[in-house]
Amino acid sequence: MILDNFKSVISKYEVIFFDAFGVLKTYNGLIPGIENTFAYLRETNKDFYVVTNDASRSPEQLAESYVKLGINDVTPDRIISSGMLAREYLELKVRKGVVAYLGTDNSAHYIGSTDLKTLSIRELDLNSVNDVNALVFLDDEGFDWNTDLTKTLNLLRKRNIPVIVANTDKTYPASKSRLSIAVGALAKMIEDTIGRQFIRFGKPDPQMFIFAYQHIKNYPDVSKQNILMVGDTLHTDILGGNKFGLDTALVLTGNTQAEDAEVRIRATGIIPTYICVSAVVE
């Protein structure tokens, strides 16, 4: 497997889309040396965005998490979350009533509005659901998996309402050798149990990339040929970027490890344009 030099790769593009977890940071904090990448982006005046399936916190809160780690470059306007797509859908399609959600109180930022009330699934009374007009899967925390997933199942038996999955990730790395179940897997379990198809927002869905593309500073004057998607996961970052027509760079600091990258690429047929050790400019 031939590895590409990350600095040489990003020098070819005007705009960089970064995944967050496994690319810029991990369970341990920042990827060591990633501050060099942001310094290079500043020096070369390259535009960049963090395109993430993380709907657990608002862009402001996500940006603050980078500040706490010593990175001031990731401002809220540079964060494009799948939660933003969920909010847009609700504004267009669900104009009144209650939106129930699975997630933390912080994640509910994406679904609140003047005319829509939000209600955590943990606070839902199954005897009073006539005003519930949508359900959103936002995060894998903030509720009891046993009690509240059962409540979710029964809510959907009572109400024929749209169900939105704002984070389609099924797993995330909890350590170098251990994965944790993400909310996308919980949504898939409920979906299969009741035999319904939910509305999904997030990578690899092309709508996520359309949304990100429309939010870049110089849209629509930047060609897709001048945008690079950098990610650690073949089935989300790389597949989504490929399907949207972007060049893609797989980094080996997250879900895809160096020892099995080549096997995974051959098995899935998802082929990145580049493979780099990390997203660190050296």
Side-chain angles (χ1 to χ4, degrees):
M1 182 172 64
I2 299 173
L3 297 177
D4 299 283
N5 178 275
F6 188 70
K7 182 177 182 180
S8 298
V9 168
I10 63 171
S11 68
K12 304 172 186 177
Y13 299 89
E14 295 177 28
V15 179
I16 315 298
F17 287 167
F18 290 102
D19 179 39
F21 208 79
V23 176
L24 303 178
K25 58 183 179 179
T26 68
Y27 54 91
N28 257 347
L30 292 175
I31 297 289
I34 202 69
E35 63 276 5
N36 297 338
T37 300
F38 289 109
Y40 174 78
L41 294 169
R42 286 195 304 273
E43 291 164 8
T44 55
N45 201 29
K46 289 188 181 293
D47 199 13
F48 76 90
Y49 299 87
V50 179
V51 181
T52 176
N53 284 356
D54 185 353
S56 66
R57 290 171 288 175
S58 69
E60 289 75 18
Q61 290 170 318
L62 290 171
E64 181 61 27
S65 72
Y66 286 95
V67 172
K68 289 178 180 177
L69 293 170
I71 299 293
N72 296 314
D73 303 80
V74 184
T75 50
D77 60 308
R78 293 194 180 276
I79 294 175
I80 299 168
S81 163
S82 53
M84 296 162 71
L85 278 166
R87 167 182 281 172
E88 183 178 69
Y89 176 89
L90 290 169
E91 288 174 349
L92 292 171
K93 302 288 285 184
V94 184
R95 297 184 177 89
K96 62 180 181 179
V98 174
V99 179
Y101 68 91
L102 291 94
T104 62
D105 293 340
N106 284 335
S107 67
H109 157 87
Y110 289 107
I111 59 175
S113 71
T114 304
D115 299 318
L116 287 173
K117 296 179 181 178
T118 60
L119 182 67
S120 170
I121 199 72
R122 67 179 183 271
E123 298 171 355
L124 178 73
D125 180 356
L126 282 174
N127 295 313
S128 180
V129 297
N130 288 339
D131 291 336
V132 177
N133 290 330
L135 173 70
V136 186
F137 286 81
L138 289 167
D139 193 21
D140 58 285
E141 298 182 351
F143 58 94
D144 179 85
W145 282 28
N146 183 16
T147 303
D148 293 328
L149 287 176
T150 300
K151 191 186 290 185
T152 299
L153 181 68
N154 284 286
L155 167 65
L156 297 179
R157 291 179 68 240
K158 283 173 170 271
R159 296 283 291 157
N160 186 22
I161 54 177
V163 182
I164 300 156
V165 185
N167 181 348
T168 57
D169 288 352
K170 293 182 178 179
T171 63
Y172 61 91
S175 71
K176 187 172 178 61
S177 59
R178 188 168 60 89
L179 292 175
S180 288
I181 297 172
V183 72
L186 301 181
K188 185 68 168 66
M189 179 182 70
I190 299 294
E191 187 178 46
D192 290 345
T193 302
I194 64 172
R196 283 184 52 186
Q197 188 168 358
F198 297 164
I199 301 160
R200 283 179 160 71
F201 294 124
K203 298 169 292 183
D205 192 291
Q207 192 168 353
M208 182 72 173
F209 289 89
I210 294 168
F211 190 79
Y213 183 45
Q214 292 174 340
H215 279 73
I216 63 176
K217 185 169 57 179
N218 292 326
Y219 171 81
D221 296 329
V222 177
S223 164
K224 290 182 185 181
Q225 293 177 328
N226 291 316
I227 303 173
L228 177 72
M229 176 69 216
V230 182
D232 67 310
T233 307
L234 289 169
H235 282 97
T236 55
D237 310 313
I238 306 306
L239 177 61
N242 286 351
K243 288 169 70 175
F244 190 59
L246 306 181
D247 283 352
T248 53
L250 176 70
V251 296
L252 307 176
T253 47
N255 271 326
T256 308
Q257 297 292 301
E259 57 267 22
D260 59 7
E262 192 166 12
V263 172
R264 287 194 185 188
I265 291 169
R266 288 181 181 277
T268 61
I270 302 170
I271 303 171
T273 314
Y274 312 97
I275 304 173
C276 303
V277 172
S278 72
V280 173
V281 167
E282 296 177 342

